[in-house]
Amino acid sequence: MRVIVVGAGVLGTLHAWHAVERGHEVVQIEREAEARGASLRNFGLVWVGGRASGPELETALRARELWAEIGARTPALGFRPNGSLTLVTGARERAVAEAAVARPDAAARGYKLLTPDEARALNPALGGTFDAALYCERDAAVEPRTAQLALRAELRRSPRYTFLPGREVREVIGDRAVRDDHGDVHHGDTVVLCTGAWLGGLVRELAGPELPVRRVRLQMMQTDPLDTPLTTSVADADSFRYYPAYASPALDELNAGQPQPPTAAEHRMQLLMVQRADGSLTIGDTHEYAHPFAFDTVEDPYDHLAAVAETVLGRPLPRIRRRWAGVYAQCTDPGAVVHRQRVRDGVWLVTGPGGRGMTCAPAMAETTADELGW
């Protein structure tokens, strides 16, 4: 079989990976020299703990297994099973963590409620004050800025894989063929469009104007290296408000009785913090849904994130090295893990993984491969 994959973000690259692994010839086409979208502008989190029960959690757990397998073959991916700690303070936040630990699927997620001393035994960098920490053993991390490069370097070891950068696909010709902006036509047995947050142009033409996918904008930042290991990923209790796993009467009480600070509420914020391989910290994030998005970044969210991160660490942050904004595509169907649509005979659009793209991409791509009979 010959598979044409359009898009070289993490979702497209994992589709190429599964096709090559199953013995097929793959041509992967990317409009940039390298992917520059949400697949790079994220935390690199393999975030199992916050996923909704059912298909979403099952997809995340399967993806976690696949990331471990791929990481063992591709050390440059930077896979590490570091787990995560969500720090809580006060009775309301603790009640949400206790409700999470009482879930029927808590063991599958690796949930444990830890005392501050137990949390610091796992992550000694936590020098701030907190009352308890929700530990998720199944969470992990990869290096987002280099993951696609590492995966592609491994793919290029196969003579069945071809990467064509700097080419924008402009047209689907008949069935199972695409024409790029160089005028070249690429024929395959299957075409998979993994175009990320690019939802206009050809995607709109093929999928129609009612595509159940929206774009979400975020802001994040990265520091200079921290001089001590941050051995787990870290979140604050505001993350309870944004992940479906934590829905409960306790969360309702938290939202009603302990609203977020104004800046956090305005920008729909949570603290997520991950240490990169070079020791730097990736810190975020915000959520913006209303179009048109701003073209600039706003300082208030960064000030809030820095203050919360310093409270968690009990010390000043290293110098902020870079700030950025990103846009990702999020499926609006609450029952779907990703939007997967046949737009022509033999041509499939796979988009809208949302904030779970880096977490779930290996399993999302595996499901496509299974469903298409690769």
Side-chain angles (χ1 to χ4, degrees), residues 146-368:
T146 57
Q148 282 76 240
L149 299 176
L151 292 168
R152 191 165 305 113
E154 183 67 21
L155 282 167
R156 280 177 162 146
R157 293 164 58 89
S158 170
R160 298 189 302 276
Y161 175 76
T162 301
F163 179 54
L164 299 177
R167 294 169 179 256
E168 182 173 323
V169 170
R170 295 284 182 83
E171 183 182 6
V172 172
I173 303 171
D175 297 332
R176 304 178 176 89
V178 299
R179 178 182 285 118
D180 66 29
D181 59 356
H182 291 214
D184 293 331
V185 177
H186 309 276
H187 296 271
D189 298 289
T190 304
V191 177
V192 181
L193 306 173
C194 296
T195 55
W198 178 43
L199 302 176
L202 179 64
V203 174
R204 184 183 295 112
E205 177 186 323
L206 292 170
E210 302 303 319
L211 184 68
V213 178
R214 65 177 176 178
R215 300 169 82 235
V216 182
R217 184 177 186 266
L218 55 79
Q219 290 185 197
M220 297 172 63
M221 61 184 177
Q222 187 173 356
T223 71
D224 280 342
L226 185 70
D227 59 5
T228 188
L230 190 74
T231 54
T232 69
S233 301
V234 177
D236 73 347
D238 277 344
S239 65
F240 290 151
R241 307 175 196 264
Y242 294 103
Y243 288 103
Y246 306 118
S248 66
L251 178 62
D252 295 339
E253 185 175 337
L254 174 67
N255 286 328
Q258 187 177 315
Q260 290 184 280
T263 297
E266 178 185 355
H267 297 280
R268 298 176 178 87
M269 298 178 67
Q270 61 186 338
L271 173 73
L272 294 175
M273 183 162 56
V274 188
Q275 191 168 46
R276 304 267 63 92
D278 68 355
S280 64
L281 303 175
T282 299
I283 301 173
D285 64 344
T286 65
H287 302 84
E288 182 180 353
Y289 304 104
H291 289 209
F293 294 140
F295 64 85
D296 48 9
T297 57
V298 183
E299 286 300 305
D300 287 352
Y302 290 118
D303 293 341
H304 173 81
L305 288 169
V308 176
E310 289 179 347
T311 299
V312 166
L313 297 173
R315 57 180 292 184
L317 281 176
R319 181 183 70 93
I320 304 302
R321 175 191 295 176
R322 54 171 69 100
R323 308 170 191 263
W324 66 90
V327 178
Y328 60 83
Q330 182 183 63
C331 180
T332 56
D333 179 355
V337 179
V338 70
H339 181 69
R340 190 178 287 106
Q341 178 182 351
R342 189 180 73 169
V343 293
R344 292 275 182 87
D345 186 26
V347 182
W348 293 80
L349 173 67
V350 186
T351 188
R356 57 193 168 221
M358 189 60 93
T359 294
C360 294
M364 291 173 175
E366 182 182 59
T367 298
T368 301

